[in-house]
Amino acid sequence: MQNKLQEEISSFLTKHAAAHYFIAVSGGMDSMLLLDLVSECSTNLTVLHVNYQLRGADSEADQAFVETYCQSKGIPCIVHRIRLSDKLKEGGNLQQLAREERYAFFKEHLDGTPQSRLLVAHHQDDQYETFWLQLKRGAGMAGLKGMLPENGRILRPLLSYSRQELSTYAHAISLSWREDVSNQKTMYLRNALRLKILPALEKEVPTLRQSVLYIQELFQAQLVDFESTLQVLLKEIKKNDIIHLDEINHLVDFQIIELLKGLGTPPAHHLGFTTLLSAEKGKKITWDATSGVYHEVVRERTHLRFVRRTENLQAPPCFQVEKVNELPTHFSKDVLFLDALRLKGDLHVRPWKNADRMQPIGLNGSKLISDILKDAHVQHSEKKQQFLLCDDEKILACIGHCIDRRAIATPTSVEILRIDFNNNW
């Protein structure tokens, strides 16, 4: 096993070559073993150690141990000291705060060193425990799939080895390390899983670990296959704020969930989202959004439309009035020619209302504005942006769609007004 592990680490570093490697070292068995293995393969190496100052003398001893080892091997070592207990006074979860502080420290050095990568000592047991932690949090496939050997600039060479295999190897080479007594405290969920819950489950289901690891492999493979499609869909939605129904109908549930996560929608709405696919036009899901781009998704006739948090009702279109002597030979819905003597009061623009009705050119009788917009296939989410031109008595035009016949100018009109909009609708 000694030769196999060393060869695999060497092969891993060759496959994931970097000009410089940083390695996260706590002083525990996993990270010390990784440091020992990597130092045999590469000299372009710097150790990063975080001292949270949570365990008094033990924290100081961990730091001293790592620094002494690095000094003996001629390996540069950078230590980040943070009094995490002070940050905890502001609120938050200890494990989460520690992780955020740790990875911010790592990122600082990665960003400052071109073509560098970070090595961390996660192994198979960490992968297995992560599945259960993510399951408790209600994670989707992306969470349940676990960690990847390569995730951007982060490398995990030991993921295929169990804690027991690494321990056997560490003892065989007489490796020294520090034991963290807090790893035995079951007040932390990961520790409780490792020490109590999972051993009890495995006693009843001996194949449980193998089954979970197999599921994670399947999830990883499916997500890799879907990743390119996901990025195309996300790019399309963020550009046009829509996704066509025929596109989303080809997706299975986990793909829809990953798509929604990529758009920043709350997990509570992921399952209900699929009901929009068979809902009638105008149905929507809305959520309170303090972050992310969108706060609502609306079912349209041929697609779903995502509504941005900053999307507000646009200003009414402006118009210019000009007296003219004759009518043009060609007409459009963008320019109106009205008979001034058939108008009542001033011209103004306002949003349409549900009961609004007009008498369109070419139609006997009247018609609801809502029906005009429906027949014009105006999307439900865009109807609120529709405006009307009116005088004090009647609607003169549903701007951009149709004109009322009651005040239109004719060749016999004594006073003709040309109404020109500036294309804001």
Side-chain angles (χ1 to χ4, degrees):
M1 180 181 175
Q2 181 173 346
N3 291 335
K4 177 187 174 184
L5 188 54
Q6 189 66 64
E7 288 172 4
E8 289 197 3
I9 293 296
S10 178
S11 176
F12 185 93
L13 294 181
T14 299
K15 181 180 178 181
H16 304 286
H20 192 86
Y21 293 103
F22 291 101
I23 179 167
V25 179
S26 66
M29 182 200 73
D30 309 335
S31 61
M32 291 304 299
L33 179 56
L34 180 59
L35 174 58
D36 182 81
L37 291 165
V38 172
S39 64
E40 294 293 324
C41 306
S42 175
T43 56
N44 298 319
L45 183 67
T46 298
V47 164
L48 301 178
H49 176 79
V50 181
N51 184 347
Y52 302 107
Q53 303 180 69
L54 289 172
R55 296 180 292 114
D58 283 339
S59 292
E60 300 304 315
D62 289 347
Q63 177 181 329
F65 174 78
V66 172
E67 289 176 318
T68 300
Y69 179 93
C70 291
Q71 188 176 12
S72 69
K73 298 286 187 177
I75 301 172
C77 179
I78 302 174
V79 175
H80 176 54
R81 294 176 62 86
I82 173 70
R83 196 171 295 280
L84 201 62
S85 56
D86 291 342
K87 283 203 167 189
L88 279 172
K89 294 176 183 177
E90 302 170 9
N93 174 275
L94 173 63
Q95 300 294 322
Q96 182 62 28
L97 284 173
R99 186 182 188 284
E100 291 172 358
E101 189 70 30
R102 181 166 66 248
Y103 276 90
F105 169 56
F106 298 158
K107 184 177 185 301
E108 175 187 349
H109 289 281
L110 284 171
D111 290 347
T113 309
Q115 298 182 324
S116 62
R117 308 190 85 166
L118 173 72
L119 296 161
V120 292
H122 294 129
H123 47 68
Q124 190 184 88
D125 289 58
D126 295 318
Q127 186 81 302
Y128 179 49
E129 292 159 11
T130 295
F131 176 89
W132 297 102
L133 289 170
Q134 294 290 350
L135 187 65
K136 177 185 179 296
R137 295 168 186 151
M141 186 180 289
L144 295 176
K145 81 178 190 312
M147 298 171 284
L148 299 172
E150 179 185 21
N151 184 12
R153 297 172 72 180
I154 299 175
L155 303 176
R156 300 181 176 91
L158 303 179
L159 269 186
S160 61
Y161 291 91
S162 69
R163 181 182 287 112
Q164 183 57 53
E165 289 174 318
L166 297 178
S167 177
T168 299
Y169 177 77
H171 282 95
I173 62 172
S174 301
L175 182 74
S176 298
W177 65 84
R178 292 272 303 168
E179 291 289 355
D180 184 348
V181 294
S182 67
N183 288 335
Q184 303 303 312
K185 295 180 179 179
T186 56
M187 60 184 288
Y188 302 125
L189 180 55
R190 183 179 285 274
N191 292 351
L193 278 169
R194 185 179 72 253
L195 299 172
K196 295 172 59 177
I197 300 171
L198 293 180
L201 286 173
E202 290 167 356
K203 186 176 180 180
E204 298 297 324
V205 187
T207 59
L208 185 63
R209 174 189 287 255
Q210 289 74 21
S211 297
V212 167
L213 295 174
Y214 177 66
I215 288 171
Q216 288 181 309
E217 288 180 9
L218 290 178
F219 285 179
Q220 289 178 8
Q222 290 189 45
L223 284 169
V224 167
D225 290 341
F226 179 58
E227 182 62 28
S228 59
T229 301
L230 174 64
Q231 294 308 316
V232 170
L233 291 174
L234 288 173
K235 184 177 180 180
E236 176 186 330
I237 293 172
K238 291 175 181 178
K239 178 181 178 181
N240 302 314
D241 296 334
I242 67 170
I243 181 170
H244 292 281
L245 295 179
D246 58 354
E247 290 179 304
I248 202 166
N249 282 332
H250 285 91
L251 304 181
V252 297
D253 287 347
F254 92 84
Q255 293 172 329
I256 292 175
I257 290 173
E258 294 307 313
L259 179 68
L260 294 174
K261 286 173 61 180
L263 295 170
T265 61
H269 293 290
H270 290 175
L271 294 178
F273 180 86
T274 55
T275 62
L276 285 181
L277 302 180
S278 56
E280 62 185 24
K281 190 173 107 174
K283 291 293 184 181
K284 60 186 177 181
I285 294 176
T286 303
W287 57 92
D288 293 330
T290 56
S291 61
V293 177
Y294 302 106
H295 75 100
E296 183 177 272
V297 59
V298 183
R299 171 68 152 86
E300 303 288 7
R301 187 171 60 89
T302 61
H303 60 267
L304 299 178
R305 181 171 182 271
F306 290 83
V307 181
R308 295 175 178 266
R309 290 191 299 128
T310 56
E311 188 172 310
N312 298 311
L313 187 66
Q314 67 184 35
C318 300
F319 63 91
Q320 292 181 329
V321 180
E322 177 186 2
K323 287 184 180 181
V324 295
N325 297 321
E326 59 184 11
L327 297 175
T329 56
H330 298 285
F331 294 88
S332 75
K333 296 176 182 178
D334 301 337
V335 180
L336 285 65
F337 292 87
L338 302 179
D339 188 327
L341 300 181
R342 300 168 71 182
L343 298 176
K344 301 295 182 181
D346 296 327
L347 298 178
H348 62 276
V349 171
R350 67 167 174 84
W352 72 285
K353 297 176 292 189
N354 282 333
D356 282 335
R357 184 179 289 271
M358 63 181 291
Q359 298 179 21
I361 295 173
L363 180 71
N364 292 326
S366 64
K367 190 172 184 177
L368 287 169
I369 299 297
S370 58
D371 289 337
I372 292 172
L373 298 178
K374 179 180 179 181
D375 292 344
H377 302 300
V378 175
Q379 302 298 340
H380 177 82
S381 55
E382 296 172 358
K383 288 181 180 178
K384 64 183 179 181
Q385 308 285 13
Q386 182 62 53
F387 292 90
L388 308 175
L389 176 68
C390 308
D391 63 13
D392 291 346
E393 177 185 66
K394 57 191 172 293
I395 296 171
L396 301 171
C398 180
I399 300 173
H401 295 288
C402 63
I403 300 169
D404 192 277
R405 64 176 181 270
R406 287 171 289 179
I408 59 170
T410 67
T412 61
S413 296
V414 176
E415 186 175 343
I416 300 173
L417 299 181
R418 183 181 191 272
I419 314 299
D420 192 359
F421 291 90
N422 62 2
N423 296 325
N424 279 338
W425 58 85

